[in-house]
């Protein structure tokens, strides 16, 4: 059987019909990614495939970097200043050892879908692939905006600090009709939530300046954040995103919160765990109220062990491949305490939960069902995230969501990527989805009704995200 033939991952006839007649044609809404809006606006050709695929300046694909380190590739050829062709060859050698890893399939899928290269990628084929891909990368069809448009993407949501001026979003908004897709900001207040990290005092000064509100206590912080929500919303923002590596629910009075914030502005290295927990809980409540007030969706990405390799983190910084699955026991239960407290004031916005630890999924899926309502499936178990972004991980997440909630209401896949070539992950997800539903047809669990099942597939692929997030006017 040919690698990545038209039916790869589709192991039954209903799955093939559902994918080819329904999922395959649907557009993409990428509601969470880490693309740089500057790159989209400037719309420059990449000089070679290494730069778009592996390492462009200080940014790159740390999924790939981790795999290369496992294959003994020297850091000079990963994040270093090594020759770019040699970096490409090192990736070819790594992929040759990566069977069973989703990156093996994603890599070949990207070559096939974007470059029309339908051959096994290895050290032997690499020189010809390098030459063909690099020639294509110099054409207009391989500029960032064309890659987005040609992948049938209708919305790209980037990840933006509340203090951002959204300069490139403003420029892109003016060219939205010409581009044929939206580039929207999604607020990611990690620098505000992680009170014990970075220079918190400097950050609060910056947030004060950009919001026009001198932040000194909870009330002024809330006012500053509301100004930022208003500004983001004017740029089309409809989501926020919160990285909670760990989380413990802890109540705090306004005075306690103000004292903790004042202490952190002077020296956040002296904060106790209890102070961190109280600050984060109080702040998350403020953010939940604002998300609900503005009609946004609030995402929680949780339970991650970040920057485990201290020396390499200090050398290369965050998001360079030193993270792993978290193991905080009971983090889902701590989140349910937060939901319970906010339900007292009807203050829960539309919410999506993600965890790198699949042991949390059942607790999140069952816990969120206690807080549903408001005419939509308000709370969702997010797609299989990060280390679970595999065929088995996707299959398991879909099964849990189906068994504990309502799968047909699911808002589907996202890329969570820094690469313009990652849209094939939506195809990968849709194939896994269709195969699972096809299995249910073959075992008699659901009717062999392709109008009914096809509509479900189309909804999960695109329609649900279109309706749930509110990116479009009703006429669109």
């Amino acid at each position: 059987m040919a690698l990545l033939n038209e039916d790869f991952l589709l192991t039954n006839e209903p799955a093939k019909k559902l994918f080819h007649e329904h999922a395959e044609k649907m557009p993409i809404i990428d509601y969470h990614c880490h693309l740089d809006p500057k790159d989209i606006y400037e719309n420059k050709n990449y000089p070679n495939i290494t730069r778009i695929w592996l390492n462009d300046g200080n940014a790159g694909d740390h999924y790939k970097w981790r795999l290369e380190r496992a294959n003994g590739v020297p850091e000079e050829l990963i994040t270093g200043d090594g020759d770019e062709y040699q970096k490409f060859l090192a990736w070819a050698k790594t992929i040759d050892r990566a069977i069973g890893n989703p990156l093996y399939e994603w890599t070949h899928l990207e070559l096939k879908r974007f470059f029309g290269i339908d051959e096994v990628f290895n050290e032997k084929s690499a020189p010809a692939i390098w030459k063909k891909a690099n020639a294509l990368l110099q054409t207009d069809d391989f500029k960032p905006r064309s890659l987005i448009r040609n992948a049938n993407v209708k919305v790209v949501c980037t990840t933006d600090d509340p203090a951002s001026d959204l300069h490139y979003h403003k420029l892109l908004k003016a060219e939205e009709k010409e581009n044929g897709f939206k580039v929207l900001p999604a607020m990611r207040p990690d620098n505000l939530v992680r009170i014990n990290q970075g220079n918190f005092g400097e950050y609060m000064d910056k947030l004060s300046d950009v919001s026009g509100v001198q932040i000194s206590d909870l009330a002024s912080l809330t006012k500053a954040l509301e100004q930022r929500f208003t500004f983001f919303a004017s740029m089309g923002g409809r989501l926020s995103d919160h990285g909670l590596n760990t989380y413990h629910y802890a109540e705090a009075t306004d005075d306690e919160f103000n004292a903790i914030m004042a202490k952190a502005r002077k020296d956040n290295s002296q904060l106790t765990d209890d102070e961190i927990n109280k600050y984060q809980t109080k702040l998350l409540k403020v953010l939940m109220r604002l998300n609900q007030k503005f009609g946004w969706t609030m995402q929680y990405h949780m339970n991650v062990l970040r920057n485990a390799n201290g020396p390499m983190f200090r050398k290369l910084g965050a998001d360079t491949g030193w993270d792993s699955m978290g193991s905080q026991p009971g983090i889902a239960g701590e989140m349910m305490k937060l939901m319970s407290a906010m339900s007292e004031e009807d203050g829960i916005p539309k919410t999506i939960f993600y965890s790198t630890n699949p042991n949390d999924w059942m607790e999140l899926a069952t816990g969120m069902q206690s807080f549903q309502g408001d005419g939509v499936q308000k709370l969702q178990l997010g797609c299989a995230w990060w280390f679970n972004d595999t065929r088995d991980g996707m299959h398991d997440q879909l099964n849990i969501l189906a068994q504990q909630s309502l799968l047909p209401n699911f808002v589907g896949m996202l890329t969570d990527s820094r690469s313009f070539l990652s849209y094939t992950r939506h195809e990968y997800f849709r194939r896994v989805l269709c195969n699972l539903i096809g299995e249910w047809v073959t075992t008699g669990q659901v009717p062999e009704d392709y109008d009914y099942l096809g509509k479900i597939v189309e909804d999960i692929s695109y329609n649900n995200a279109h309706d749930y997030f509110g990116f479009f006017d009703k006429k669109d």
Side-chain angles (χ1 to χ4, degrees), residues 169-190:
H169 285 93
K170 294 178 187 176
L171 297 174
L172 286 164
K173 187 177 179 65
E175 300 178 0
E176 193 173 278
K177 186 172 290 187
E178 175 187 341
N179 287 333
F181 57 83
K182 296 173 180 281
V183 181
L184 307 178
M187 187 184 290
R188 175 88 173 214
D190 285 358

Side-chain angles (χ1 to χ4, degrees), residues 26-45:
M26 299 304 292
I28 289 171
I29 289 178
D30 193 18
Y31 58 90
H32 174 67
C33 76
H34 297 278
L35 293 175
D36 188 338
K38 180 184 179 194
D39 292 340
I40 301 173
Y41 179 74
E42 292 183 342
N43 203 35
K44 296 178 181 178
N45 288 101

Side-chain angles (χ1 to χ4, degrees), residues 452-470:
Y452 167 65
L453 298 176
K455 177 64 165 54
I456 290 174
V457 166
E458 291 177 11
D459 286 348
I460 296 171
S461 297
Y462 176 78
N463 296 330
N464 289 343
H466 178 285
D467 297 342
Y468 184 83
F469 295 115

Side-chain angles (χ1 to χ4, degrees), residues 8-10 15 18-19 23-24 26-29 31 102 105-106 109 354 361 380-385 388-399 401 407-415 422-437 456-465:
F8 91 98
L9 297 181
L10 306 175
L18 288 170
F19 179 77
E24 194 170 24
M26 299 304 292
I28 289 171
I29 289 178
Y31 58 90
E105 294 156 71
W106 293 353
L109 198 58
Y354 312 81
W361 293 355
Q380 301 230 356
L381 178 67
C383 61
W385 175 44
N388 303 294
D389 203 359
T390 65
R391 181 185 64 178
D392 290 346
M394 293 175 186
H395 179 278
D396 292 348
Q397 183 271 346
L398 290 167
N399 251 328
L401 183 57
L407 178 63
N409 295 344
F410 183 38
V411 292
M413 187 57 174
L414 45 81
T415 63
S422 292
Y423 294 114
T424 51
R425 295 182 190 179
H426 285 260
E427 176 186 341
Y428 194 91
F429 165 81
R430 292 173 186 185
R431 288 176 179 271
V432 174
L433 170 67
C434 290
N435 199 65
L436 176 62
I437 295 176
I456 290 174
V457 166
E458 291 177 11
D459 286 348
I460 296 171
S461 297
Y462 176 78
N463 296 330
N464 289 343

Side-chain angles (χ1 to χ4, degrees), residues 316-327:
L316 297 176
D319 302 320
T320 53
W322 315 108
D323 312 315
S324 58
M325 181 184 78
S327 59

Side-chain angles (χ1 to χ4, degrees), residues 106-360:
W106 293 353
T107 295
H108 286 96
L109 198 58
E110 289 169 8
L111 286 172
K112 188 168 185 174
R113 295 291 181 258
F114 286 102
F115 297 96
I117 296 173
D118 191 9
E119 58 181 300
V120 176
F121 178 53
N122 53 33
E123 188 177 8
K124 182 178 179 180
S125 64
I129 290 174
W130 170 265
K131 183 177 180 180
K132 180 175 181 179
N134 288 350
L136 289 170
L137 283 167
Q138 305 318 304
T139 66
D140 286 345
D141 279 348
F142 282 79
K143 291 181 177 180
R145 298 193 204 189
S146 294
L147 290 169
I148 293 170
R149 191 162 42 243
N150 293 340
N152 202 14
V153 178
K154 301 303 181 185
V155 179
V156 175
C157 291
T158 58
T159 306
D160 306 275
D161 190 277
S164 171
D165 63 6
L166 302 183
H167 172 68
Y168 289 101
H169 285 93
K170 294 178 187 176
L171 297 174
L172 286 164
K173 187 177 179 65
E175 300 178 0
E176 193 173 278
K177 186 172 290 187
E178 175 187 341
N179 287 333
F181 57 83
K182 296 173 180 281
V183 181
L184 307 178
M187 187 184 290
R188 175 88 173 214
D190 285 358
N191 290 321
L192 184 61
V193 174
R194 297 174 187 172
I195 188 174
N196 58 322
Q197 297 180 16
N199 191 321
F200 185 73
E202 277 188 12
Y203 179 74
M204 293 299 278
D205 290 342
K206 181 179 180 181
L207 189 60
S208 293
D209 290 342
V210 74
S211 66
V213 178
Q214 187 58 44
I215 300 171
S216 59
D217 55 14
L218 179 63
S220 55
L221 175 59
T222 301
K223 184 177 179 181
L225 284 172
E226 182 159 7
Q227 190 278 334
R228 302 316 292 159
F229 270 76
T230 300
F231 174 57
F232 271 61
S234 74
M235 291 292 105
R238 296 292 181 270
L239 296 96
S240 66
D241 180 36
H242 307 269
L244 299 178
N245 300 335
T246 60
Y247 176 68
H248 298 273
Y249 182 85
E251 293 278 5
T253 65
D254 291 1
D255 288 343
E256 284 179 305
F257 180 92
N258 294 339
I260 294 166
M261 188 169 68
K263 178 180 178 181
R265 292 186 77 156
K266 292 179 180 178
D267 182 5
N268 62 349
S269 67
Q270 301 303 311
L271 294 171
T272 67
D273 288 344
D274 185 54
E275 287 172 329
I276 294 168
N277 296 335
K278 286 183 174 180
Y279 168 86
Q280 289 183 337
T281 296
K282 195 81 166 178
L283 177 61
L284 286 173
K285 289 180 178 180
V286 170
L287 291 165
M288 289 174 74
R289 294 182 191 110
L290 287 170
N291 274 271
Q292 186 185 54
K293 178 176 180 177
F294 282 81
W296 287 15
T297 298
M298 195 168 183
Q299 300 176 91
Y300 295 97
H301 287 86
M302 65 188 80
N303 211 352
V304 186
L305 177 61
R306 291 189 185 269
N307 310 316
N309 187 327
M312 292 306 293
F313 166 62
R314 290 189 292 272
K315 180 179 179 180
L316 297 176
D319 302 320
T320 53
W322 315 108
D323 312 315
S324 58
M325 181 184 78
S327 59
Q328 180 191 326
I331 191 171
E334 296 299 307
M335 292 303 300
M336 292 309 116
K337 293 178 185 177
L338 178 63
M339 296 299 115
S340 179
M342 291 304 291
S343 70
E344 296 289 346
E345 58 181 82
D346 193 23
I348 300 176
K350 288 185 287 187
T351 302
I352 305 176
F353 297 109
Y354 312 81
S355 175
T356 64
N357 193 325
N359 291 326
D360 297 329

